[in-house]
Amino acid sequence: MPELPEVETVRTGLEKLLKDSRVLGVRNDWPKSFPNTGSDAEAFLIGAKITTIRRRAKILLIDLDTGYSLAIHLKMTGQLVYRSKRNNNNFGAGHPSSSLIGELPDRSTRVILELEDAYLYFNDQRKFGWMRLLPTKEIEHMDFIKKLGPEPFAPDLDEATFFERLQRRKNSSVKAVLLDQTVIAGVGNIYADESLWRARIHPSTLVKNLKRNRLNNLFKELNIVLRLAIEKGGSTDKNYVNAEGKAGSYLSYANVFRRENLPCNRCGTIIQKSKIAGRGTHICPECQTP
């Protein structure tokens, strides 16, 4: 599943393509992928102009000038594919199947947005992803979104607030808390492992056993890792590519993730992989002692 840097990379790419485009029509073949056919689509989507492309955690938000928005969650196999009507510009974002470059629509296509100059295809092989049309002002009240914690880069998230939010689960492992979207939004397995390595913290350490200065340092390292990942277009994880159909390059800079049995870049100790917080976890047993 994409993490914050992957979705942010897609957002910036699609913003260049979709901003100020007008929606001429919508088709879908799977109700759960797009449950808004009928009067809402007729009144608030068709004929609307796209004004903004935003992101909240791992959700893409396409704002319309009608006061409505399309909220999109790609999940594991979702794709957004842009095809121009006038030239050969083809752009894809999401799970890297042949649908990114093949003829569309195909068997995985769930929703088609017809724009003035292009088509935007929402493909999803496993049908776990979704696109929903709803009033923009109601987005923050969606069950999924209203439970989210603040973004790592939010102006009001500083060291003190980060410390306070982690204390809400002080009896849990620090990795489990980083993965908890209600504490901090958008952090997944890759970037949790990387930031904990950089902060020299063992992922199984209970939050209550970490002094404030160590959590302050973790906050700093988490921001460094996420910003680098965005700069590099996200990870090269097999399930994600960016808005130009290119795999991100972050994993070539990774220090622990998917580096089990290789030497630590800091001390030379062999990286180990285990399961912590229900997820595959990569650690240096020398740099990150419990």
Side-chain angles (χ1 to χ4, degrees):
M1 185 178 295
E3 300 184 31
L4 184 156
E6 286 75 42
V7 181
E8 178 63 16
T9 299
V10 171
R11 184 201 68 78
T12 56
L14 291 181
E15 184 175 46
K16 301 173 185 176
L17 301 170
L18 299 181
K19 186 174 173 57
D20 295 327
S21 295
R22 194 170 296 277
V23 180
L24 301 184
V26 60
R27 288 176 278 164
N28 76 302
D29 84 332
W30 184 249
K32 291 183 179 180
S33 296
F34 185 69
N36 301 102
T37 54
S39 58
D40 281 354
E42 290 286 343
F44 302 109
L45 178 59
I46 298 173
K49 179 182 286 187
I50 296 171
T51 59
T52 313
I53 314 295
R54 297 183 290 134
R55 178 192 54 76
R56 178 68 171 105
K58 303 174 184 181
I59 303 294
L60 283 170
L61 299 167
I62 300 177
D63 294 332
L64 307 169
D65 66 356
T66 56
Y68 271 61
S69 298
L70 288 168
I72 305 169
H73 200 326
L74 298 179
K75 297 289 182 131
M76 291 298 293
T77 62
Q79 298 175 335
L80 289 173
V81 181
Y82 176 97
R83 297 284 172 84
S84 173
K85 295 178 180 178
R86 297 184 177 181
N87 51 48
N88 293 323
N89 286 342
N90 295 326
F91 297 88
H95 179 71
S97 74
S98 60
S99 298
L100 285 175
I101 58 174
E103 184 176 348
L104 292 175
D106 66 10
R107 293 173 60 185
S108 71
T109 302
R110 307 299 164 216
V111 187
I112 304 172
L113 290 183
E114 183 179 1
L115 310 174
E116 292 172 297
D117 298 321
Y119 291 95
L120 184 67
Y121 297 92
F122 174 46
N123 304 324
D124 188 14
Q125 292 176 343
R126 298 182 66 182
K127 301 180 180 180
F128 291 150
W130 44 260
M131 177 186 291
R132 299 174 188 169
L133 177 69
L134 69 165
T136 303
K137 64 183 180 181
E138 292 183 8
I139 287 174
E140 63 186 54
H141 302 298
M142 291 176 65
D143 287 343
F144 178 83
I145 288 182
K146 69 182 180 182
K147 297 176 183 177
L148 291 173
E151 299 276 323
F153 305 141
D156 57 349
L157 183 64
D158 54 15
E159 290 179 349
T161 307
F162 181 79
F163 178 84
E164 181 276 325
R165 294 195 69 82
L166 266 62
Q167 298 311 305
R168 299 180 182 191
R169 293 190 56 188
K170 64 181 180 180
N171 293 315
S172 299
S173 71
V174 65
K175 176 160 184 179
V177 179
L178 285 178
L179 295 178
D180 186 342
Q181 300 300 295
T182 68
V183 178
I184 304 294
V187 181
N189 202 41
I190 298 172
Y191 305 111
D193 280 5
E194 289 295 304
S195 59
L196 288 167
W197 179 87
R198 289 180 62 99
R200 297 175 179 262
I201 295 173
H202 195 283
S204 67
T205 307
L206 300 184
V207 170
K208 67 181 181 182
N209 293 333
L210 289 168
K211 294 182 179 180
R212 186 159 190 158
N213 66 319
R214 297 195 72 192
L215 290 177
N216 289 348
N217 187 47
L218 175 60
F219 176 69
K220 180 189 75 173
E221 298 296 353
L222 177 61
N223 273 264
I224 291 172
V225 165
L226 291 174
R227 292 186 188 282
L228 176 61
I230 292 172
E231 177 187 336
K232 301 303 178 183
S235 74
T236 51
D237 184 86
K238 64 182 179 180
N239 288 331
Y240 225 69
V241 293
N242 67 17
E244 296 179 349
K246 300 176 182 177
S249 63
Y250 175 78
L251 284 189
S252 64
Y253 298 85
N255 288 292
V256 285
F257 192 80
R258 290 190 180 162
R259 296 194 72 248
E260 61 268 28
N261 302 319
L262 296 174
C264 172
N265 288 332
R266 187 161 48 206
C267 73
T269 303
I270 298 301
I271 299 297
Q272 297 177 356
K273 182 178 181 181
S274 61
K275 183 166 284 191
I276 298 174
R279 303 295 301 275
T281 301
H282 304 76
I283 64 166
C284 170
E286 179 65 27
C287 293
Q288 298 170 270
T289 54

